[in-house]
Amino acid sequence: MDISQLDTPALIVDLDILESNIEEMQKRIDKLGLILRPHTKAHKIPAIAHMQIRSGAQGICTSKLGEAEVMAKGGIKDILITTPIAGSTKIQRLVNLHLNFPDCQFIQVIDHMYHVTEIAKVAIEAGVSIQLMIEVESGQQRCGVEVGNELVELIEHINQHEGVTYAGIQAYSGHLQHVKGYENRHVQARAAVVGLFNFIESTLKPKGLEPEIISGGGTGTFSAYQGLNYSEMQAGSYLFMDAAYCAIGDEFNPMQNKQFKTALKVVSTIISKPKSNRVVSDAGMKCLSIDLGMPVVDGDSSIRYQTGGDEHGILHLSEDSRRLEIGQQIVFIPSHCDTTLNNFDILYAVRDGKVLERWSIEGRGRSD
Ligand SMILES: Cc1ncc(COP(=O)(O)O)c(C=O)c1O
């Protein structure tokens, strides 16, 4: 099938670009001497996770248990769940993952003694051992235990319990991923975690509590930590590169990131033309998310997208813009890949304008 035959709005990914982004990130991470554990919250599709692993990634991250269930069922064997869980239903599901997929390694992120005590209780009853990774505060003031005595006590609390083991530390600074300018972003990223690495040297190591894994980093910061002792990077969005990430700057250009190319797009149709300089597309915010700004029209920056609500995208044309008529297709680059992808059931994989595969977005909506 040709892209022009897709009913719209339709989510597509360019396979050539996807493959080259996967290869490029693996190359960069290898060069840094690190392990790549890509975050799959961006794509939620086991087939893509397998592509990343075939290219050299040593496991994946998921945000939620629901996504981990999808990935384990899809045959992925090494999964870090990067968000703490709470409540007996969730803890039982975590234990069930261990029971149902005994040949898969799971690590669950936690940041409080509650998690340790409650998870250990259910794990012991079920006869499984659960690996826990401690999230530390890394500037975002989201989850994460403060670096200091609290961290030491939490590690010791894990070590004192049967049913759980201490796998390492997660230090992820989500708030810095989109800081403009490569240098500026890198300086801030290092400053946010340097205290942790000093504390590991000065306090954890002498006590024998040094973490085996130190996990963190994203598409904006994966190359910021040279000389610090991270073991693995969790970048995810590099795979698709949305408009927000294209604007953060790379090592050569403060305003543009060309390390990776835009692979994810939304094909839409012009459904109305109320005026010669204003047309309306069938892609509103129920398919193109706007939490990180407005989507961009692929190949024509003179057209401005304005949200028209759930189901409409209003397009303002200038004199330089290409002509758009009712019934014509238009292609958008999403501003935020994660929240756009989560609006679709299907991702069409395309090469040279032809649709080659129809991937079901199996982790879609699995925020549970
Ligand atoms: C804990 C964690 N690690 C890694 C990532 C991946 O970051 P990015 O998609 O910006 O590469 C995210 C994204 O939100 C995250 O929450």
Side-chain angles (χ1 to χ4, degrees), residues 39 41 82 142 170 172 177 217-219 234-237 245 338:
H39 213 302
K41 69 196 275 289
T82 61
R142 190 167 64 176
Q170 171 171 281
Y172 173 72
Q177 300 305 324
T219 300
Q234 302 181 350
S237 300
Y245 255 130
D338 300 36

Side-chain angles (χ1 to χ4, degrees), residues 243-297:
Y245 255 130
C246 286
I248 64 170
D250 61 21
E251 58 269 63
F252 305 111
N253 186 327
M255 301 310 286
Q256 277 185 356
N257 188 327
K258 293 192 172 168
Q259 293 177 331
F260 308 98
K261 295 194 181 65
T262 317
L264 189 77
K265 296 183 183 168
V266 169
V267 183
S268 164
T269 302
I270 304 302
I271 52 168
S272 171
K273 187 168 185 176
K275 289 200 160 230
S276 63
N277 63 351
R278 174 165 52 86
V279 303
V280 180
S281 93
D282 63 359
M285 66 172 106
K286 277 189 182 164
C287 65
L288 279 162
S289 65
I290 55 172
D291 54 302
L292 286 186
M294 295 301 143
V296 172
V297 174

Side-chain angles (χ1 to χ4, degrees), residues 38 48 53 60 70 85 99 110 115 132 149 195 211 239 262 266 295-296 345 358:
I48 297 183
I53 286 168
I60 60 158
V70 165
I85 56 168
L99 294 172
I110 58 124
H115 302 120
L132 302 178
N149 282 344
L239 193 71
T262 317
V266 169
V296 172
D345 288 324
R358 192 178 180 275

